[in-house]
Amino acid sequence: MFRQFAAKCFWTLAYRFYAYRPPSRRVEIATVGFGGFLTLLHAGAFISLPEVENAVRLFISSLVVAGGLVHRKIRLERAKGVDALARKLQSWSRPVPHSTRPS
């Protein structure tokens, strides 16, 4: 139930941002590249000195990399066609039948 809700929210935002303009490959490369560099840097700092500040920096730099990977997923889906994001949004908007397994 939560997975369907989260996926619907994700594809709704993707459709709103990128329905009429293509996602930029430069943004993807910059976020994954620079975020990956920061993640390695902060991982080394956290290993050498495990403090809360270093853990928070490592977490934030990992979020930057995750954002770049999400951007890549949207760009690859949009590459399937102009209306690919709308089709993906519609596929997650359909109700999922409940399982019929006995309790």
Side-chain angles (χ1 to χ4, degrees):
M1 181 70 108
F2 177 74
R3 181 174 183 261
Q4 182 181 5
F5 175 73
K8 183 180 176 186
C9 290
F10 172 75
W11 289 113
T12 301
L13 285 173
Y15 178 75
R16 285 185 183 173
F17 285 131
Y18 298 113
Y20 302 107
R21 64 181 174 99
S24 172
R25 180 174 265 173
R26 290 181 183 176
V27 171
E28 175 188 329
I29 291 171
T31 55
V32 172
F34 185 68
F37 171 73
L38 284 178
T39 301
L40 288 174
L41 186 71
H42 292 305
F46 181 72
I47 289 171
S48 67
L49 190 61
E51 292 181 349
V52 175
E53 293 97 6
N54 290 337
V56 170
R57 290 180 185 135
L58 178 62
F59 178 73
I60 291 172
S61 61
S62 298
L63 287 179
V64 172
V65 173
L69 294 176
V70 165
H71 193 270
R72 177 176 174 79
K73 183 176 180 79
I74 293 169
R75 186 180 60 80
L76 291 176
E77 188 66 34
R78 177 95 181 348
K80 293 178 183 176
V82 178
D83 63 337
L85 291 176
R87 284 185 278 134
K88 191 73 166 186
L89 178 61
Q90 282 180 344
S91 71
W92 280 100
S93 296
R94 294 185 193 128
V96 175
H98 296 287
S99 65
T100 57
R101 68 176 184 207
S103 321

